[in-house]
């Protein structure tokens, strides 16, 4: 899960980044609306956290450009404007949710999970794959009804594979899903994560196959 | 009672009109009386001539041959009584009514009739006396006196008086009424205007219709619309400010809330400490923002009425501000240069506001200058005018942005420092309140920013 945060306030931006990374997301951040539009064209994000009061290009503009270009990724608006009209405008432009400053980071996390659950999992509360059970609601993984000890990052990788069970997931896609601009995206890092996930899940008969030169597949 | 234009106009017209009416009545009446008197007096002289024609000399004696029939003709009058008397110059009675008095008979000139108004038995009479020389040898001159009561004269004068005064009075009343109505109709646009404004809602600040206003009221309507336009602008600016202030206050609060809620889930002490540090610096930032907002409110022209003016010495003030910020400069390895004016740099104004102006300029310079840069502060005095300039080696402000940076909450795109976006607005407001001008230029070597504030000589 890779998220773009568009927020011009350095302080809030760093708080959001820290909070979302702790929750296991790969997070990139931009300061302005112009940068946001460019980033959204370059990287396939799974979600956009968008501040409306952005310099350069207003958040509503970023949103309308995004939707005009046919991008369907979910958008959660964060804003200091709290009038009903502002909310209506934001939602009408194609935002999926709306949260008013100041907010609890755990609430934002919950809203992100809810939006992703709906968008990726079609509101399913649970996804099962053999002895594996994944809860999009809490982003927890259970094996034989027992809570697994996967780290948020490992859950993020598994989540991508779970979305395409039996199909090949490109290695680059996986790299993009779990890395951000602050770190050099490396195939190596993904290989390490995959290795750890295998080690924790293979005893239960869950296999992740490597397709050399292409990527991975959850069998 | 409130001054009324209508009353005033009517009074202004009615009072001179009334005075004119009085003058014309008095002069007209007295003129008419004079003509009437002359006419009646001439008739009286005619009557005396008739008596004179009856004088005869008999045996060297003057007698009056006035038979009763002739007397009846003379006396025939419905309204007035007629008297006559003929006497010698020495007062000796010859003929006629003895009741008739003979005032100043001895002073009479020959052939010049003399008129007197006197009374008989309490009744006013007009008396004419004529001295006649009898063209007979050594006959003494005689005095003929003719008199009549004045009823006809009085009736005539009353008639004249009435025919003059009534139409004129009617004219005055008509004039005043016409003025009253005219003024009322003339003031109708004002009432229309009053109704148009009274029926507005408190929030309706659209301009008043200008085309219905007559020439005299037009400037008033235009000024009113000007005022409304300014009010609209002010309210819009106020709303923008509130929206911006809400954003600017909620965003750091959102950061604080994000960090504090993050901290609640942390078990690791080291991580918790990191979050606490973030919360601490966030609180400093929020405090700064609140202080900046208060500084701006304090320097708002609308609330400037209470601040006192005193002499503020700028050399010392700038030195104090720099001294307070030395630790920041040291931390960022910024070389701060300060060149005070040779003489005392006295500015008349509000010390706290000027301190905020200087602090904001120097804070901005320190904030936007990268590590290892330079900040140069100069206070210069020239013929009483004082120039304060703060130059830095930061990224500079593009020419096209130099006006906008004074707008409240305006921040350059890509500026990431923890600025409130209010610093230069505060500088501008304080400068304005001190009649000073603010100018943004390139710093030295076309690099960075130089902001200078010019205080006029006092």
């Amino acid at each position: 899960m890779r998220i773009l945060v568009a927020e011009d306030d350095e302080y809030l931006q760093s708080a959001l980044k820290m909070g979302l990374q702790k929750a296991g997301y790969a997070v990139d951040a931009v300061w302005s609306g112009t940068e946001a539009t460019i980033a959204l064209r370059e990287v396939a994000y799974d979600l956009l956290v968008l501040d409306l009061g952005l310099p350069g290009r207003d958040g509503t503009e970023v949103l309308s450009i995004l939707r005009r270009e046919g991008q369907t990724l979910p958008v959660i608006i964060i804003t200091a404007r709290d009038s009903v009209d502002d909310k209506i405008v934001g939602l009408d432009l194609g935002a999926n949710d709306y949260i008013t400053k100041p907010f609890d980071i755990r609430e934002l996390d919950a809203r992100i999970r809810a939006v992703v659950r709906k968008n990726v999992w079609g509101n399913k509360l649970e996804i099962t794959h053999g002895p594996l059970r994944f809860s999009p609601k809490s982003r927890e993984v259970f094996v034989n009804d027992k809570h697994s000890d996967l780290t948020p990052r490992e859950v993020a990788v598994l989540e991508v594979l779970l979305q395409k069970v039996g199909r090949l997931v490109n290695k680059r896609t996986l790299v993009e899903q779990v890395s951000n601009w602050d770190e050099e995206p490396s195939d190596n890092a993904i290989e390490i994560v995959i290795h750890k996930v295998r080690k924790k899940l293979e005893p239960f008969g869950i296999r992740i196959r490597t397709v050399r030169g292409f990527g991975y597949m959850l069998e | 009672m409130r001054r009324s234009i209508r009353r005033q106009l009517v009074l202004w017209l009615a009072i001179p009109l009334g005075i004119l009416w009085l003058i014309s009545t008095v002069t007209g009446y007295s003129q008419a009386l004079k003509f009437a008197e002359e006419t009646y007096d001439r008739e009286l002289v005619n009557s005396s001539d008739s008596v004179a024609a009856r004088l005869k000399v008999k045996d060297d004696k003057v007698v009056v041959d006035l038979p009763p029939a002739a007397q009846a003709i003379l006396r025939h009058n419905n309204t007035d009584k007629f008297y006559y008397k003929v006497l010698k110059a020495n007062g000796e009675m010859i003929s006629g009514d003895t009741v008739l008095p003979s005032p100043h008979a001895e002073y009479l000139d020959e052939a010049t009739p003399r008129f007197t108004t006197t009374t008989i038995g309490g009744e006013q009479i007009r008396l004419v006396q004529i001295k006649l020389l009898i063209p007979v040898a050594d006959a003494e001159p005689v005095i003929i006196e003719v008199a009549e009561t004045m009823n006809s004269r009085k009736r005539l004068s009353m008639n004249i008086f009435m025919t003059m005064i009534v139409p004129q009075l009617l004219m005055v009343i008509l004039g005043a009424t016409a003025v009253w109505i005219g003024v009322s109709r003339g003031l109708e646009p004002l009432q229309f205007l009053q109704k148009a404004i009274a029926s507005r809602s408190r929030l309706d600040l659209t301009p008043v219709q200008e085309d219905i206003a007559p020439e005299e009221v037009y400037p008033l309507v235009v000024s009113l619309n000007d005022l409304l336009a300014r009010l609209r602008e002010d309210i819009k600016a106020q709303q923008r400010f509130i929206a911006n202030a809400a954003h600017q206050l909620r965003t750091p609060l959102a950061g604080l809330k994000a960090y504090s809620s993050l901290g609640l889930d942390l078990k690791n002490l080291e991580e918790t400490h990191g979050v606490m540090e973030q919360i601490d610096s966030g609180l400093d930032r929020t405090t700064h923002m609140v202080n900046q907002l208060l500084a701006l409110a304090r320097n708002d022209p609308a609330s400037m009425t209470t601040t006192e003016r005193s002499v503020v010495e700028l050399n010392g003030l700038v030195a104090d501000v720099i001294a307070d910020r030395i630790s920041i400069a040291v931390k960022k390895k910024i070389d701060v240069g300060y060149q005070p004016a040779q003489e005392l740099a006295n500015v008349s104004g509000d010390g706290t506001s000027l301190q905020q102006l200087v602090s904001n300029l120097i804070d901005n310079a320190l904030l936007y200058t990268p590590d290892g840069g330079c900040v140069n502060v100069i206070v210069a005095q020239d013929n009483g005018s004082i120039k304060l300039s703060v130059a830095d080696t930061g990224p500079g402000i593009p020419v096209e942005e130099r006006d906008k940076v004074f707008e409240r909450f305006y921040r350059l795109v890509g500026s990431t420092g923890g600025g409130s976006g209010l610093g230069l607005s505060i500088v501008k407001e304080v400068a304005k309140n001190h009649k000073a001008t603010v100018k943004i230029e390139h710093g030295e070597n076309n690099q960075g920013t130089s902001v200078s504030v010019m205080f006029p000589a006092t």
Side-chain angles (χ1 to χ4, degrees):
Chain A
M1 281 287 292
R2 194 162 174 182
I3 294 176
L4 180 68
V5 172
E7 165 61 59
D8 65 319
D9 185 73
E10 194 176 16
Y11 186 74
L12 179 58
Q13 193 196 82
S14 73
L16 286 175
K17 240 172 125 170
M18 181 177 174
L20 295 179
Q21 274 168 353
K22 284 207 97 47
Y25 303 105
V27 184
D28 294 325
V30 288
W31 312 105
S32 74
T34 334
E35 288 172 303
T37 303
I38 294 169
L40 287 163
R41 283 175 188 155
E42 294 301 317
V43 183
Y45 289 104
D46 297 285
L47 187 120
L48 168 66
V49 174
L50 179 66
D51 177 22
L52 283 188
L54 288 177
R57 183 179 285 151
D58 190 56
T60 52
E61 243 180 290
V62 173
L63 187 53
S64 60
I65 289 173
L66 183 77
R67 292 302 186 227
R68 211 160 49 224
E69 289 177 354
Q71 296 216 53
T72 55
L73 84 159
V75 175
I76 295 177
I77 284 174
I78 50 172
T79 179
R81 302 178 204 162
D82 57 359
S83 80
V84 177
D85 284 346
D86 284 326
K87 291 181 187 178
I88 291 171
V89 167
L91 292 174
D92 278 352
L93 277 172
N96 299 68
D97 205 351
Y98 196 105
I99 187 164
T100 314
K101 292 177 185 177
F103 50 84
D104 191 315
I105 197 109
R106 292 168 298 183
E107 186 188 344
L108 177 65
D109 194 20
R111 282 172 191 261
I112 290 174
R113 283 198 306 268
V115 165
V116 169
R117 188 170 73 230
K118 189 180 163 204
N119 218 51
V120 176
W121 304 110
N123 273 343
K124 271 185 238 160
L125 286 178
E126 274 183 356
I127 290 91
T128 45
H129 178 69
L132 192 74
R133 184 158 58 83
F134 172 68
S135 160
K137 190 172 69 177
S138 57
R139 298 189 86 225
E140 283 172 316
V141 176
F142 299 89
V143 184
N144 288 334
D145 288 338
K146 268 165 78 186
H147 199 282
S148 78
D149 54 353
L150 293 171
T151 64
R153 192 165 220 202
E154 290 157 9
V155 173
V157 169
L158 185 63
E159 200 181 345
V160 179
L161 293 173
L162 267 172
Q163 284 174 42
K164 298 185 173 179
V165 174
R167 280 179 289 161
L168 185 72
V169 178
N170 193 306
K171 201 173 190 176
R172 281 247 56 91
T173 312
L174 267 185
V175 171
E176 276 188 8
Q177 294 278 335
V178 297
S179 59
N180 59 37
W181 298 335
D182 298 343
E183 47 196 79
E184 195 61 44
S186 72
D187 296 358
N188 207 19
I190 277 298
E191 278 161 23
I192 291 167
V193 176
I194 292 282
H195 174 74
K196 284 184 179 161
V197 175
R198 275 189 182 137
K199 223 169 117 186
K200 288 176 185 169
L201 296 183
E202 276 186 348
F204 303 98
I206 298 158
R207 289 200 52 201
I208 299 171
R209 222 174 84 190
T210 307
V211 183
R212 227 159 271 292
F214 289 101
Y216 302 94
M217 193 171 86
L218 186 62
E219 291 186 334
Chain B
M1 192 157 51
R2 189 165 287 279
R3 246 166 50 113
S4 145
I5 294 180
R6 188 195 332 224
R7 249 195 323 270
Q8 201 121 348
L9 280 175
V10 171
L11 278 182
W12 268 106
L13 278 154
I15 290 174
L17 219 60
I19 292 171
L20 270 176
W21 168 70
L22 261 179
I23 292 172
S24 85
T25 308
V26 168
T27 53
Y29 180 57
S30 61
Q31 202 66 31
L33 273 188
K34 214 178 120 200
F35 288 137
E37 194 175 66
E38 277 172 9
T39 313
Y40 275 94
D41 282 354
R42 218 167 16 241
E43 270 181 43
L44 213 52
V45 173
N46 283 344
S47 300
S48 72
D49 285 347
S50 303
V51 174
R54 293 289 174 173
L55 289 183
K56 291 211 170 110
V57 181
K58 222 178 204 174
D59 309 327
D60 289 345
K61 276 192 177 166
V62 178
V63 290
V64 184
D65 174 27
L66 208 58
Q71 275 194 37
I73 290 169
L74 275 175
R75 288 187 197 274
H76 176 76
N77 191 321
N78 289 331
T79 47
D80 286 304
K81 286 184 197 147
F82 181 83
Y83 304 93
Y84 86 94
K85 188 175 167 188
V86 182
L87 59 163
K88 287 185 184 163
N90 60 8
E92 193 186 319
M93 172 92 176
I94 297 172
S95 164
D97 302 304
T98 46
V99 288
L100 212 54
S102 305
H104 31 253
E106 56 272 33
Y107 308 118
L108 283 172
D109 277 341
E110 273 123 33
T112 310
R114 176 154 188 160
F115 297 95
T116 317
T117 307
T118 178
T119 53
I120 293 176
E123 207 174 0
Q124 251 196 337
I125 54 160
R126 184 76 170 162
L127 171 79
V128 67
Q129 294 170 300
I130 299 172
K131 198 174 186 178
L132 265 183
L133 287 175
I134 306 297
V136 174
D138 66 292
E140 266 184 277
V142 291
I143 293 168
I144 299 170
E145 289 185 18
V146 174
E148 62 185 3
T149 55
M150 296 174 73
N151 293 335
S152 297
R153 296 174 184 240
K154 281 181 182 157
R155 193 172 298 164
L156 178 65
S157 61
M158 184 49 78
N159 278 345
I160 294 173
F161 183 68
M162 288 316 278
T163 50
M164 283 181 74
I165 197 167
V166 170
Q168 288 207 15
L169 188 62
L170 274 175
M171 239 162 68
V172 169
I173 291 170
L174 261 171
T177 315
V179 166
W180 184 267
I181 293 169
V183 170
S184 301
R185 300 205 66 158
L187 292 179
E188 255 169 27
L190 277 182
Q191 280 171 357
F192 185 83
L193 195 66
Q194 185 265 330
K195 272 187 204 136
I197 292 170
S199 63
R200 276 163 175 253
S201 92
R202 201 164 42 86
L203 301 170
D204 183 6
L205 295 176
T206 53
V208 178
Q209 227 183 318
E210 282 178 10
D211 47 1
I212 52 137
E215 202 185 333
E216 292 78 4
V217 185
Y218 185 73
L220 178 72
V221 175
V222 170
S223 321
L224 186 70
N225 281 342
D226 270 0
L227 183 70
L228 284 172
R230 264 178 287 151
L231 207 55
R232 276 200 305 277
E233 268 313 301
D234 279 2
I235 287 176
K236 248 187 244 161
Q238 199 69 24
Q239 284 168 342
R240 265 202 309 275
F241 177 74
I242 290 169
N244 281 329
H247 183 258
Q248 291 299 316
L249 281 172
R250 276 181 176 146
T251 299
L253 285 179
L256 281 172
K257 180 73 187 171
Y259 271 121
S260 66
S261 54
L262 199 60
L264 286 176
D265 278 352
L266 291 178
K267 308 279 186 303
N268 182 318
L269 203 62
E270 206 176 309
E271 278 182 325
T272 313
H273 185 74
V275 167
M276 285 310 292
E277 272 178 338
Q278 289 292 342
I279 290 174
D280 191 56
S281 78
L283 280 172
D284 285 346
R285 209 174 131 233
T286 314
T287 309
H288 176 67
M289 171 62 78
V290 169
N291 285 340
Q292 291 282 74
L293 275 171
L294 290 177
L296 194 63
R298 188 176 183 277
N299 289 296
D300 190 90
S303 60
M304 277 303 287
T305 44
T306 50
T307 36
E308 281 171 29
R309 303 235 137 198
S310 57
V311 173
V312 182
E313 208 282 308
L314 222 53
N315 280 336
L317 193 147
V318 172
D320 288 347
V321 170
I322 294 176
D324 276 350
R325 285 152 179 81
I326 278 300
S327 62
I328 303 169
V330 168
K331 207 186 283 171
K332 288 185 77 176
K333 296 187 182 65
I334 292 173
D335 176 20
V336 179
Y338 176 39
Q339 189 186 319
Q342 300 292 320
E343 300 146 66
L344 286 180
N346 285 332
V347 171
S348 152
D350 175 54
T352 314
S353 299
L354 288 169
Q355 204 259 343
Q356 283 160 351
L357 177 143
V358 175
S359 309
N360 271 297
L361 287 179
I362 293 175
D363 282 343
N364 270 354
L366 289 174
L367 186 63
Y368 294 108
T369 300
D371 290 9
C374 294
V375 170
N376 256 315
V377 186
I378 300 171
V379 178
Q381 226 241 55
D382 179 31
N383 276 335
S385 66
I386 288 159
K387 185 180 175 183
L388 161 74
S389 59
V390 179
D392 62 41
T393 55
I397 301 171
V399 180
E400 64 274 14
E401 300 273 351
R402 284 182 191 166
D403 283 335
K404 293 190 200 148
V405 290
F406 290 111
E407 286 170 24
R408 294 169 177 194
F409 296 116
Y410 187 84
R411 297 188 61 204
L412 291 179
V413 173
S415 73
T416 52
S420 61
L422 290 177
L424 283 174
S425 305
I426 294 170
V427 168
K428 189 181 150 199
E429 293 289 348
V430 175
K432 207 161 83 186
N433 291 334
H434 290 80
K435 297 190 171 57
T437 50
V438 188
K439 209 159 116 188
I440 298 180
E441 292 161 303
H442 283 302
E444 267 174 61
N445 304 326
N446 240 0
Q447 194 203 354
T449 311
S450 165
V451 185
S452 49
V453 184
M454 194 77 153
F455 294 93
T458 42

